[in-house]
Amino acid sequence: SLGGKVLRVNGYGSIPTDNPFYSSGGNARYIWTYGHRNVQGLALRPGTSQMWAVEQGTSRDDEVNLIAKGANYGWDPVPGYDESTPMTDLAKFPNAVRAKWSSGYPTLATSGGTFLSGPAWGRWQGALAVAALKAQGIRLLFLDPAGSVARVETLTAANGFGRIRTVQQGPDGALYFTTSNGSSDVIAKITPTAVAPVLTPGQNVSNVGVSAARTGSDLYAFVRSTGDHIYYKRSADDGRRWDTSWTTRV
């Protein structure tokens, strides 16, 4: 069965020969991971090869999982299955992959997911946005480079829309989401606010005291270095594309 699996195919539907169970033949050739209950969304983390899955649990344990080739995620219902069993059943599968995030009790009915990418998102850049049906709204999961969840926040701009089915960042950098309330549903858009750019390692500046100022249609970000020099960057389009280097003003 292909139920409870994440499948992997090429762009035109052919099966990659490096899929983990390709040599088993048949439908097993499509399988990338197994042991899932109800995957609602997949999202590729920008700049990495990390694939993330958002899953719905039973009465417990909605999960967000980092997908690994050939891995078992611990869900294996059989007739008479006790749905109070954890989604990742380590008693039955000691080597199952643990979720990176789990709701525990109660569930949120997590749905689609997408990563927020681009400097205009400021401190939210890189967060995984996860839709919620039962709990309503959008949760932001902040991940460290290894994929551990450091903290979770609520995207308050999505409050008041009711049940949210899925989320997707558009080519314009904005976050789009769909509602699932049964009537008067909408496709809504959240546009990031222009912010000062994130500083990168190796630049001789400090991110203490970052400030922004607008001159006409231009937006400037200023930073004072430890040597008491002033550095600035300019953006001509409200923070979507910044100068690649910092300019010094003594």
Side-chain angles (χ1 to χ4, degrees), residues 110-243:
T110 48
S111 193
T114 191
F115 282 92
L116 302 181
S117 180
W121 286 103
R123 68 180 185 87
W124 290 344
Q125 181 178 2
L128 176 61
V130 176
L133 290 164
K134 182 173 69 175
Q136 304 185 2
I138 297 174
R139 304 299 189 270
L140 299 178
L141 275 61
F142 293 85
L143 313 173
D144 66 18
S148 296
V149 178
R151 69 183 190 279
V152 180
E153 296 182 12
T154 297
L155 183 57
T156 57
N159 291 350
F161 284 88
R163 294 162 50 89
I164 296 181
R165 171 62 61 182
T166 195
V167 288
Q168 182 63 52
Q169 184 169 12
D172 59 354
L175 177 65
Y176 293 83
F177 62 90
T178 62
T179 63
S180 185
N181 297 310
S183 63
S184 302
D185 284 309
V186 299
I187 299 174
K189 174 183 178 181
I190 298 174
T191 302
T193 302
V195 294
V198 176
L199 306 182
T200 57
Q203 292 175 319
N204 185 29
V205 293
S206 166
N207 61 357
V208 176
V210 174
S211 61
R214 179 180 296 283
T215 302
S217 61
D218 292 341
L219 189 68
Y220 288 84
F222 294 91
V223 182
R224 184 182 299 277
S225 78
T226 54
D228 210 31
H229 292 274
I230 300 296
Y231 292 77
Y232 70 91
K233 279 187 176 183
R234 183 185 67 89
S235 171
D237 59 353
D238 286 344
R240 289 183 177 83
R241 291 182 295 273
W242 293 85
D243 293 342

Side-chain angles (χ1 to χ4, degrees), residues 91-117:
K92 188 172 184 178
F93 303 105
N95 295 322
V97 177
R98 296 173 182 266
K100 292 295 185 179
W101 173 87
S102 176
S103 67
Y105 293 106
T107 57
L108 310 181
T110 48
S111 193
T114 191
F115 282 92
L116 302 181
S117 180

Side-chain angles (χ1 to χ4, degrees), residues 16 72 76:
N72 176 12
D76 184 30

Side-chain angles (χ1 to χ4, degrees), residues 11 27 58-59 65 191 223:
N27 283 342
T58 55
S59 59
N65 285 298
T191 302
V223 182

